Structure formats: C-alpha cells, structure tokens
Amino acid sequence: MPAATNLLTLEQYREQYAGEAGWEYWLGEAVRKPVPNTLHGILQFVLMMILDAAGYYTGSEIELRIDPNWEPRPDVIADTQPLEQPYPTKPIEIAIEILSDDKMGQLFKKCRHYVRIGISQIFVFDPEARDVWVWSRETDNTERIRELRLGNGSSILVSDVWAEMERRTAKKRLVGLE
C-alpha cells in the first residue's frame, strides 16, 4: 500500500480516471481492472441475457457508488428492481466477476468488499476452465457450484450458461469474427 501522501481522494480519482474504462477506486488507490478477452465479453453478454430472462435488470461495467471509499465496476450486476441512474448508490442484489488475468488475492478482497457494502449474491466465473463459484459469507471463501440459486427464486444451471456461450463462440467462428 502506498504511503498516505500518495493516496487519491475520490475527487482526484474522478478527475484523473473518470473518462477511462478499466479503473476502479479502492480505498484511495486507482486499481486497474484486467483487460477482458473475447470469452470474457461473450460471457458478460450471455449472463446478462440469462439473468434478464430470470427476471433481473442487468448491466455491465457499471460503477457502484455505494461506498465513497470503494467504487468497483463489477463485470455484471443484476437486481430485481430497475438499476439506479446514473450509478447505483444502494446495494444491488447480484455482482458477478469474470476471470481474465485476475489475481485471486485481489478477487477475494473484492468479494469481501461486496459483502461489506451489502451485495446479496456474488458469483465468480472462469470462462476458460468453465468453473463457477459463489462467495460464501459463512466460510469467507468461494464454493464451486453447478447451479446459480438466485434471490428471486429462479435458478440457472451452470451447464446452460456454458452451452449458450459455446453456441455463441461457435457462431462467431463460423462467420469469421473470432
């Protein structure tokens, strides 16, 4: 952690990074998000589409302004209520992180902060290994899952997510876009 004199205020962070994608404000620091790859982008779309069908309002890379000391941009967010404009300032129901080149220690810190600010459900997807985890408050750790059991009573099989992602990546290969 840098010396206290090197910490950014929220105002300084917004002045320097507001127009740039891929940055988050973490307790006085500008933290670079991993650069997403093709699988990451396709999975974001698939998750938003599936969550929408399950009754959620969704968005991607939307800055959460719930805590003035920590403003993350989850890969996907979802809530049963319309998303607050222009940024959510109250806890949303679901935050999803998609692994790209993430460091696990950093990811765990992020999940713990999501819990701290009141996010109900936190999921972590690995599109390369085809693994999914839910953050457990009881164990303060991730637990591998085969089904997303959502707060609104819906559930989504992880195999259905991967099947839709495979269908969409195969489609892109057929038309030469990948």
Side-chain angles (χ1 to χ4, degrees):
M1 185 91 151
T5 56
N6 293 338
L7 294 179
L8 293 171
T9 66
L10 182 57
E11 292 74 29
Q12 290 169 325
Y13 167 78
R14 287 187 180 152
E15 284 173 17
Q16 293 177 33
Y17 297 94
E20 294 186 43
W23 290 93
E24 298 176 318
Y25 184 69
W26 284 45
L27 311 169
E29 293 185 74
V31 175
R32 184 75 138 137
K33 287 187 68 163
V35 176
N37 59 28
T38 302
L39 287 178
H40 184 283
I42 293 169
L43 181 54
Q44 271 182 306
F45 174 78
V46 166
L47 288 169
M48 290 172 54
M49 182 184 69
I50 289 173
L51 286 165
D52 182 72
Y56 286 86
Y57 294 88
T58 62
S60 66
E61 305 293 335
I62 296 173
E63 189 169 82
L64 300 181
R65 293 191 174 180
I66 299 163
D67 175 351
N69 295 307
W70 189 67
E71 294 190 348
R73 291 181 184 180
D75 293 316
V76 174
I77 63 172
D79 202 280
T80 53
Q81 300 300 312
L83 299 174
E84 186 178 352
Q85 301 291 321
Y87 303 100
T89 61
K90 297 174 193 72
I92 44 103
E93 293 177 43
I94 297 171
I96 297 176
E97 292 296 328
I98 300 170
L99 298 179
S100 290
D101 290 326
D102 302 78
K103 293 179 174 59
M104 289 309 281
Q106 189 86 337
L107 180 69
F108 276 43
K109 285 180 191 175
K110 197 171 198 180
C111 289
R112 287 181 183 110
H113 279 298
Y114 285 143
V115 168
R116 181 181 60 77
I117 65 170
I119 306 299
S120 304
Q121 293 187 288
I122 304 146
F123 298 102
V124 178
F125 281 75
D126 182 344
E128 302 224 1
R130 301 293 202 265
D131 283 326
V132 181
W133 299 271
V134 64
W135 184 261
S136 168
R137 286 163 171 71
E138 291 77 35
T139 64
D140 194 41
N141 206 336
T142 57
E143 296 177 358
R144 185 170 285 136
I145 58 172
R146 293 183 183 178
E147 180 179 20
L148 282 75
R149 294 187 184 119
L150 304 174
N152 73 351
S154 299
S155 64
I156 298 167
L157 293 175
V158 168
S159 59
D160 290 345
V161 173
W162 300 135
E164 181 61 21
M165 195 173 106
E166 185 58 35
R167 188 180 78 73
R168 291 187 176 277
T169 56
K171 179 180 173 183
K172 285 189 174 285
R173 274 188 239 120
L174 288 175
V175 294
L177 297 175
E178 192 172 63

